[in-house]
């Protein structure tokens, strides 16, 4: 590693914002700085749609910084780069040293240049030709191929320095967390809800989580698993609160007093009521669920209408049109899959009916639910609510 190495973070969708672009950029800079805090002391600044991340001393953990920056929503691409003087000689010398290993592996290369400093006497094509010619002489075994090269050498001539880097890697994309409003996500121990939470955070939504526990039917391990899922999500979302709501009494009352085919639907209606109450208290403006159309009986179109009937808040369902294979692929990518498949039951699976209603009639469900003292059950569950602050 070059001890001069730094990171260049390319902004994504933020650059399309008009008059309020500045507030998006400020939020993104704050998020980047917060994520870098545990990696060492860095100087970060924003110029021309690029965030520069420069270590201020040798004790900075560049690997950790690289990983952290790739998980910040709002960043489209991340590159390791080395700054040098703004001369062709310095650029060539830096590329020869910094990309020596890449040249040893490559059979072909090209140079791509950007001239952000319009005072620089050569345009981008002239820079590429001059640097490419010199590098072709320095590495005679690597041929020039402008169409399909093994290695692309990137040269950026900017205000203070020129920068040399190899290929950039994709960032997390999306919008900076905190710019898309505040929502409460229903987090179970399954595969779907962490992915739906991640997808909403990627649209800039600040999340709090709500999780329902049913001791003795659900174990401490099941709760620990959910808290671990929340902790894994903090890499993208930042620290967050998980609200833990007791659900045993509600489930037992449903089982005693309601028809079995409506168990899951009535249970989910209670979850929506409780989540909305938590959201209102937290100042959140929407609920997030991991529902995917038709995946299980309680996620048919009619069933979704029945569960949504009890809430006035928007219910955001980012997975609604995705199939299980896509959801699993995403859960692997974001690192939640292995925790999600740990074999601890959550409260949904403990009271599953043998023959759930897939085409429920809303009036029938309301009538079945009327056997319960809904308000008293909700109030009691909310009284027992606790919360945990989860940090990265």
């Amino acid at each position: 590693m070059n001890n001069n190495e730094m990171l260049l973070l390319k902004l994504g969708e933020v650059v399309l914002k008009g008059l309020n672009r500045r507030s998006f950029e400020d939020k993104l800079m704050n998020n980047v700085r917060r994520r870098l805090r545990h990696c060492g002391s860095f100087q970060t600044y924003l110029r021309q749609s690029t965030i520069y991340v420069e270590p201020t001393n040798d004790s900075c953990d560049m690997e950790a910084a690289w990983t952290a920056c790739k998980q910040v929503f709002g960043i489209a691409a991340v590159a390791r780069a080395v700054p040098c003087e703004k001369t062709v000689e310095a650029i060539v010398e830096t590329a020869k040293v910094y990309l020596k290993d890449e040249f040893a592996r490559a059979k072909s290369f090209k140079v791509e240049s950007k001239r952000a400093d319009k005072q620089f006497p050569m345009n981008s094509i002239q820079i590429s030709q001059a640097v490419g010619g010199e590098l072709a002489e320095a590495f005679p075994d690597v041929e020039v191929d402008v169409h399909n090269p093994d290695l692309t050498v990137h040269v950026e001539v900017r205000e203070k320095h020129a920068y040399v880097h190899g290929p950039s890697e994709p960032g997390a994309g999306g919008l900076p967390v905190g710019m898309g409003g505040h929502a409460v996500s229903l987090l179970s121990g399954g595969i779907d809800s962490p992915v739906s939470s991640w997808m909403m955070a990627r649209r800039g939504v600040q999340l709090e989580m709500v999780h329902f526990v049913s001791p003795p039917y659900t174990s401490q391990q099941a709760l620990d698993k959910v808290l671990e899922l929340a902790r894994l999500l903090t890499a993208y979302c930042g620290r967050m609160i998980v609200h833990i709501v007791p659900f045993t009494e509600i489930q037992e009352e449903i089982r005693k007093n309601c028809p079995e085919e409506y168990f899951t639907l009535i249970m989910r209606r209670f979850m929506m009521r409780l989540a909305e109450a938590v959201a209102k208290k937290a100042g959140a403006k929407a609920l997030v669920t991991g529902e995917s159309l038709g995946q299980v009986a309680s996620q048919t179109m009619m069933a979704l209408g029945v569960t949504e009937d009890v809430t006035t808040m928007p219910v955001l369902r980012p997975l609604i049109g995705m199939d299980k294979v896509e959801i699993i692929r995403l859960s692997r990518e974001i690192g939640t899959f292995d925790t999600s498949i740990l074999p601890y039951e959550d409260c949904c699976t403990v009271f599953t009916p043998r023959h759930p209603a897939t085409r429920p009639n809303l009036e029938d469900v309301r009538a079945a639910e009327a056997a319960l003292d809904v308000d008293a059950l909700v109030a009691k569950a909310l009284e027992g609510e606790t919360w945990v602050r989860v940090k990265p």
Side-chain angles (χ1 to χ4, degrees):
M1 187 193 98
N2 187 301
N3 59 4
N4 219 7
E5 194 173 52
M6 57 175 295
L7 303 178
L8 300 180
L9 317 181
K10 308 291 179 170
L11 269 56
E13 215 176 310
V14 170
V15 301
L16 305 176
K17 300 298 167 193
L19 296 173
N20 60 352
R21 173 172 169 175
R22 181 65 194 275
S23 55
F24 279 83
E25 290 177 345
D26 290 347
K27 177 62 79 174
L28 182 54
M29 286 296 288
N30 287 337
N31 292 350
V32 168
R33 286 183 180 127
R34 194 176 65 241
R35 290 300 316 282
L36 287 171
R37 238 179 255 150
H38 68 281
C39 307
S41 170
F42 291 87
Q43 186 187 4
T44 54
Y45 52 94
L46 174 65
R47 301 271 188 285
Q48 295 164 313
S49 303
T50 299
I51 295 174
Y52 297 77
V53 177
E54 296 181 355
T56 60
N57 56 49
D58 291 344
S59 65
C60 290
D61 186 339
M62 289 299 285
E63 281 303 318
W66 168 256
T67 302
C69 289
K70 283 171 66 177
Q71 293 175 319
V72 176
F73 290 128
I75 303 294
V78 184
R80 301 170 193 258
V82 169
C84 62
E85 276 179 53
K86 293 196 283 189
T87 65
V88 169
E89 297 75 32
I91 292 167
V92 169
E93 212 38 56
T94 301
K96 275 162 47 177
V97 174
Y98 183 52
L99 299 175
K100 186 177 69 186
D101 293 348
E102 281 79 354
F103 270 104
R105 286 193 292 268
K107 292 192 167 55
S108 59
F109 85 100
K110 75 169 179 178
V111 177
E112 244 177 48
S113 302
K114 271 190 193 150
R115 182 186 63 150
D117 173 10
K118 300 306 179 195
Q119 307 297 307
F120 193 74
M122 303 162 80
N123 67 25
S124 52
I125 292 171
Q126 291 167 329
I127 297 167
S128 293
Q129 287 171 338
V131 173
E134 299 261 356
L135 289 175
E137 283 184 26
F139 300 99
D141 297 341
V142 188
E143 63 182 47
V144 175
D145 179 351
V146 295
H147 299 298
N148 196 18
D150 292 342
L151 171 65
T152 300
V153 178
H154 294 270
V155 176
E156 302 188 27
V157 179
R158 293 178 174 268
E159 287 172 51
K160 283 167 48 180
H161 303 285
Y163 298 87
V164 175
H165 64 88
S168 54
E169 290 193 14
L175 293 171
V177 169
M179 295 306 294
H182 184 181
V184 164
S185 185
L186 284 76
L187 186 65
S188 72
I191 292 168
D192 302 338
S193 57
V195 176
S196 65
S197 302
W198 178 87
M199 287 178 76
M200 291 321 304
R202 193 166 185 253
R203 298 312 303 155
V205 176
Q206 185 85 44
L207 293 174
E208 293 188 31
M209 304 298 187
V210 63
H211 176 68
F212 301 96
V213 291
S214 296
Y217 306 105
T218 58
S219 63
Q220 180 62 39
Q221 283 116 313
L223 175 57
D224 291 343
K225 168 182 163 178
V226 167
L227 294 175
E228 173 62 12
L229 287 171
R231 193 192 63 74
L232 292 169
L233 288 170
T234 60
Y236 299 94
C237 309
R239 64 185 190 169
M240 65 173 107
I241 289 172
V242 181
H243 301 267
I244 300 158
V245 179
F247 207 62
T248 311
E249 189 177 346
I250 290 172
Q251 286 188 301
E252 287 176 340
E253 287 299 305
I254 292 170
R255 188 162 64 177
K256 262 191 287 193
N257 297 292
C258 303
E260 187 184 348
E261 77 240 47
Y262 295 147
F263 279 2
T264 305
L265 286 169
I266 294 173
M267 183 178 86
R268 292 188 77 82
R269 282 164 66 88
F270 272 96
M271 287 179 171
M272 296 304 255
R273 289 184 182 103
L274 291 163
E276 183 173 74
V278 168
K280 283 179 175 165
K281 201 167 64 175
K285 297 291 184 275
L287 304 177
V288 178
T289 75
E291 290 159 320
S292 166
L293 190 63
Q295 186 173 251
V296 292
S298 62
Q299 294 175 21
T300 63
M301 206 175 285
M302 291 170 82
L304 293 175
V306 167
T307 53
E308 201 169 316
D309 169 58
V310 298
T311 172
T312 56
M313 277 188 177
V315 180
L316 308 176
R317 297 184 173 98
L319 308 185
I320 199 70
M322 293 174 70
D323 66 30
K324 198 67 180 185
V325 174
E326 292 174 289
I327 298 167
I328 288 171
R329 180 183 58 77
L330 253 179
S331 76
R332 287 185 193 278
E333 274 178 34
I334 66 175
T336 54
F337 180 76
D338 290 342
T339 303
S340 288
I341 59 171
L342 291 173
Y344 306 117
E345 300 287 0
D346 65 20
C347 61
C348 297
T349 45
V350 179
F351 289 84
T352 307
R354 285 161 302 190
H355 303 291
T358 54
R359 300 174 61 79
N361 177 294
L362 177 56
E363 295 310 321
D364 292 347
V365 177
R366 281 177 176 166
E369 197 178 66
L372 305 170
D373 188 341
V374 172
D375 294 344
L377 286 168
V378 167
K380 192 167 176 196
L382 289 170
E383 272 171 32
E385 180 218 332
T386 56
W387 57 271
V388 178
R389 189 186 294 281
V390 183
K391 296 179 183 173

